[in-house]
Amino acid sequence: DSCALEIAAGTRVYVHGGISVVDDLIFNGGFLFIGKEGSLRSLGTDNSPVIWTTDRLEESFQDDAGQWAGIRILAESKGNIFRNSVIRNSILGIQVDSAAELELDQSMIHTTSGSGLIGVEANISATNCLFANNNQSAFEAVQGGNYSFDHCTFANFGTDRSAINLSNFRCLDLPACSQVLPGDLFFRCRNSIIAGSLKDEIQLGHIDVLSGSETGTEFDYRFERCFVRVDEMLEDYPDFFDFCENCNDYDFGQDLFVSVDEVNYALDTLSRAIDYGVDIGVSDDIEGNPRDASPDAGCYEYQF
């Protein structure tokens, strides 16, 4: 809470989780908190990423989610950066609270029992990032916030939660949701893939739709050159594709990735995401491979 902690390239951070009891409070241990006056810079490189994972080193635990709690950046914390970093095996990946800031670059958040990335009225930017195998949402925006995603892959297969959930309010009395806190939402997503096994891999939650009246709360979202999967959501938001410019509404089973079963989200040789993006100034991909003048959608650039 009082300094900037910098994690050097090649570092492995092994977090001890499990059930803890303090003063009759029962919780899952292994939560890393970054306070208002503190910041965390996880600075890996292409060849030496920083790995955040469980302290159970046995091979049988490497693919198990929920072994430690995750990382929480508390309200108003600034200067938080995860570059060439991998967060895995936790309950949630990263939660960013009100007015706090996070920059993600060439990083992965995968194998979580909860959501991969949560913003609560926060400020988050992500480039060349993979959010995959999250048992809930890959990314969740709660009570608005400011979010920008470029060349990202959101892959949520085998779960009953949509890959991306966007809302400009927060319920205070779940499940009734009769008391809410509103917050303006500004969301941009370009040259990205939002994929999964549900009919709707994007869910929108506008307080005006919930309340049936105009509240004046911003719900400003834009997708550009993205692969999306939506169906029933269009009943409540029939104008969705007015805000999804040059998007591809793909069918489940179309070739996109090398192998979903083997958790390999690089692009298949026949992937429709190849050359689908537009040049937005991102010169390389998640592995440091160069992007050409017609870049691919998602975090991986296909290598011929």
Side-chain angles (χ1 to χ4, degrees):
D1 189 42
S2 60
C3 67
L5 174 62
E6 186 167 302
I7 308 296
T11 302
R12 265 96 174 130
V13 183
Y14 301 104
V15 187
H16 181 69
I19 301 299
S20 299
V21 180
V22 177
D23 296 332
D24 296 327
L25 177 65
I26 302 175
F27 59 95
N28 191 296
F31 230 137
L32 307 181
F33 291 95
I34 312 303
K36 175 181 176 181
E37 303 299 330
S39 63
L40 176 61
R41 298 197 292 263
S42 177
L43 304 180
T45 63
D46 292 335
N47 297 320
S48 297
V50 175
I51 310 294
W52 300 77
T53 186
T54 172
D55 66 348
R56 295 302 301 264
L57 306 184
E58 303 94 320
E59 185 175 351
S60 59
F61 284 88
Q62 296 312 295
D63 296 325
D64 289 347
Q67 297 184 63
W68 57 288
I71 298 171
R72 185 166 179 178
I73 299 173
L74 299 180
E76 300 184 50
S77 174
K78 305 293 193 295
N80 300 287
I81 301 173
F82 282 75
R83 182 173 298 130
N84 293 101
S85 298
V86 178
I87 301 167
R88 57 183 176 88
N89 306 110
S90 54
I91 295 176
L92 63 84
I94 304 177
Q95 177 170 320
V96 188
D97 289 344
S98 178
E101 297 178 354
L102 171 64
E103 176 187 336
L104 295 164
D105 182 39
Q106 293 178 294
S107 293
M108 302 181 183
I109 301 178
H110 68 84
T111 315
T112 64
S113 58
S115 293
L117 178 64
I118 301 173
V120 183
E121 207 174 17
N123 302 284
I124 299 174
S125 65
T127 304
N128 282 331
C129 290
L130 172 66
F131 307 92
N133 289 54
N134 310 113
N135 197 47
Q136 295 186 20
S137 296
F139 170 66
E140 188 173 353
V142 181
Q143 199 182 343
N146 290 274
Y147 308 102
S148 173
F149 294 88
D150 290 332
H151 282 291
C152 290
T153 297
F154 305 84
N156 248 27
F157 293 89
T159 177
D160 61 359
R161 288 285 298 274
S162 297
I164 289 181
N165 278 270
L166 306 177
S167 67
N168 61 354
F169 64 90
R170 175 160 51 111
C171 296
L172 299 179
D173 58 340
L174 289 172
C177 202
S178 60
Q179 302 179 47
V180 298
L181 285 177
D184 292 334
L185 175 73
F186 299 92
F187 174 89
R188 297 293 183 270
C189 186
R190 301 183 294 178
N191 290 356
S192 295
I193 299 173
I194 300 99
S197 46
L198 298 180
K199 290 183 177 179
D200 291 292
E201 287 300 340
I202 297 173
Q203 287 289 347
L204 304 178
H206 192 337
I207 191 172
D208 289 4
V209 175
L210 175 70
S211 64
S213 62
E214 294 187 8
T215 64
T217 307
E218 289 285 351
F219 193 72
D220 186 343
Y221 68 91
R222 296 287 190 280
F223 294 85
E224 180 182 353
R225 289 280 177 174
C226 292
F227 278 78
V228 300
R229 181 167 167 79
V230 292
D231 183 13
E232 297 173 357
M233 181 269 286
L234 299 176
E235 296 177 8
D236 290 328
Y237 300 90
D239 60 350
F240 171 78
F241 282 102
D242 292 342
F243 306 97
C244 197
E245 182 180 351
N246 293 314
C247 288
N248 188 309
D249 186 14
Y250 78 99
D251 294 325
F252 180 69
Q254 290 179 336
D255 289 327
L256 281 179
F257 307 116
V258 170
S259 176
V260 170
D261 292 338
E262 297 178 8
V263 199
N264 186 345
Y265 297 110
L267 300 183
D268 180 73
T269 54
L270 300 177
S271 178
R272 297 172 61 192
I274 295 174
D275 293 340
Y276 194 78
V278 294
D279 189 353
I280 55 175
V282 179
S283 60
D284 55 6
D285 73 354
I286 191 171
E287 295 182 330
N289 298 311
R291 292 188 182 274
D292 57 30
S294 298
D296 304 339
C299 62
Y300 291 97
E301 184 81 359
Y302 181 74
Q303 301 302 299
F304 290 93

